[in-house]
Amino acid sequence: MQNKQLPNVHLRKEWDLRVRTWFNQPGRKLRRRRARVAKAAKIAPRPTELLRPAVRCPTVKYNRKVRVGRGFTLEELKAAGISAKYAATIGIAVDYRRRNRSEEALARNVERLKAYHAKLIVLPLSAKKRSAADVEAYKNAVQISGQPIPVAAETETEAPRAITAEEKKSNAYITLRKTRGDFRSAGYIEKRKLTLKQAKENAKK
């Protein structure tokens, strides 16, 4: 302290009025759990969650991972023969913003929709139109908690193994740098070759 000044900090004025406590967290946890159980019982035997698509995570770092997305695109629903309005009534999530950028992802989600639709039991609103088989199947149906069709991980983990002599000799960093350099200078090399070729032809004339 300058001039040996005694510290006298005034930061203790009514601090207890501005303290944020979290004593209600256990109670809220219990309340949320009871609400989930009550909702599941109310909608039974329907699944507790809407059917959602399998999508890849964004960016190069995470795009190897497949996860549950927001909703199916209009293109996916059309390929599966389901309208967007009807999908909302049978437990299928719809996303109007997402676009399909690969045939593989489109085919995967169309198969997902068809598999769900094949297992679906839809009872008509009118009791007269309900068949005895449908009513029996509806009574025997078991409620699924979570995703009706789980998203399976596509990547398989490789079992541990010994490193080969060839792998020990190779250098990943040098290989990547060389490939990147070849790719970046490909146009310049081609142009240089063409220029030399034209120069030789002109010299012959």
Side-chain angles (χ1 to χ4, degrees), residues 102-116:
S102 71
E103 291 293 330
E104 292 83 2
L106 176 65
R108 188 198 304 125
N109 285 323
V110 169
E111 284 299 316
R112 194 170 165 80
L113 283 167
K114 286 180 178 177
Y116 176 76

Side-chain angles (χ1 to χ4, degrees), residues 24-41:
N24 60 350
Q25 191 267 340
R28 282 186 174 183
K29 182 182 178 180
L30 185 63
R31 186 170 67 192
R32 285 195 299 269
R33 177 175 169 75
R34 285 174 178 168
R36 284 196 300 271
V37 172
K39 184 183 177 183

Side-chain angles (χ1 to χ4, degrees), residues 11 17 67 93 97 99-100 117 144 146-147 151-152 159 161 171 178 186 189:
L11 295 178
L17 299 179
R67 64 169 174 82
R97 295 177 297 179
R99 298 286 179 269
N100 290 105
H117 200 261
I144 301 168
Q147 276 298 297
V151 175
R161 60 177 179 80
N171 191 322
K178 188 177 183 306
I189 291 166

